[in-house]
Amino acid sequence: MLTETSDAVGDTSALALKILVAGGFGVGKTTLVGAVSEIRPLRTEELLSEAGQLVDDTDGVDQKVTTTVAMDFGRITIRSGLSLYLFGTPGQDRFWFLWDELSQGALGAVVLADTRRLEDCFPAVDYFEHRRIPFVVAVNCFAGARNYGAHDVSRALDLDGGTPVVLCDARDRDSGKEVLIRLVEYAGRMHTARLLDSVG
């Protein structure tokens, strides 16, 4: 969850929080990481191939020509000595074996959702719920998609009570930052509550 790194100026320690960005194929994970990262994001995208057509469901994302095959990585500094490390997960079923490694030590996760293909984020919701990793659902508001309120999305996904649902535009830096702020606040409350339960 927390990683200490050496500060470049001296021997002061800096704190890095690990955040996952997950969700279905083509939902905007790479876009979100790229929009908020203050560094040039590391991307492991490859062109979609004819062989992949047999296993990748591209319905609703027909214009997509690349896919993440390992992870995306970005960084954002919250304040001096505190940074978020963002790890975007691959969306296709065949790459889910990477999720266990990526989720080690994560403070929490953002599950991106597309209301046109809402069922695609069920596996990510199940994954984080079963591992008790705090997460928020961020509905990426695509042009032309029907608008749904946060309560409607929460009910459709059968989320545990209190799990935040936020509307966002994955292309917009400020919108992405708001999602991350909500996640860090929620994860902080969840971790504090669990700590108090363990000593109570």
Side-chain angles (χ1 to χ4, degrees), residues 24-25 47-59 61 67-69 91-96 117 120:
F25 179 57
L47 290 172
L48 291 171
S49 66
E50 285 186 27
Q53 290 176 353
L54 301 173
V55 290
D56 295 331
D57 178 12
T58 57
D59 286 345
V61 286
T67 185
T68 299
V69 295
Q92 303 100 309
D93 301 6
R94 59 196 165 110
F95 295 125
W96 282 348
R117 299 169 46 134
D120 288 359

Side-chain angles (χ1 to χ4, degrees), residues 40 58 70 94 107 116 133 149:
R40 182 178 177 183
T58 57
R94 59 196 165 110
L107 173 73
R116 300 169 302 178
I133 296 173

Side-chain angles (χ1 to χ4, degrees), residues 86-108:
L86 308 174
F87 291 83
T89 65
Q92 303 100 309
D93 301 6
R94 59 196 165 110
F95 295 125
W96 282 348
F97 67 92
L98 294 168
W99 285 35
D100 286 338
E101 289 297 323
L102 290 174
S103 66
Q104 289 294 319
L107 173 73

Side-chain angles (χ1 to χ4, degrees), residues 10-11 13 16-17 45 57 61 63 83-84 98 117 127 136-137 143 164 171 179 182 187 195:
D11 51 6
S13 289
L17 305 176
E45 289 196 306
D57 178 12
V61 286
Q63 305 303 314
S83 299
L84 297 183
L98 294 168
R117 299 169 46 134
Y127 182 91
V136 301
V137 173
R171 301 165 300 178
V179 170
R182 286 288 299 275
L195 183 62

Side-chain angles (χ1 to χ4, degrees), residues 98-178:
L98 294 168
W99 285 35
D100 286 338
E101 289 297 323
L102 290 174
S103 66
Q104 289 294 319
L107 173 73
V110 173
V111 175
L112 268 179
D114 177 353
T115 57
R116 300 169 302 178
R117 299 169 46 134
L118 198 57
E119 68 279 1
D120 288 359
C121 70
F122 274 114
V125 168
D126 288 343
Y127 182 91
F128 297 120
E129 281 184 346
H130 286 124
R131 285 159 182 79
R132 301 185 71 218
I133 296 173
F135 68 95
V136 301
V137 173
V139 179
N140 193 5
C141 299
F142 287 91
R146 185 173 166 191
N147 291 330
Y148 292 92
H151 179 71
D152 295 326
V153 172
S154 179
R155 194 170 57 204
L157 293 175
D158 193 27
L159 297 176
D160 291 341
T163 302
V165 176
V166 294
L167 306 181
C168 74
D169 180 344
R171 301 165 300 178
D172 183 76
R173 181 177 176 83
D174 289 338
S175 182
K177 281 182 171 181
E178 282 301 314

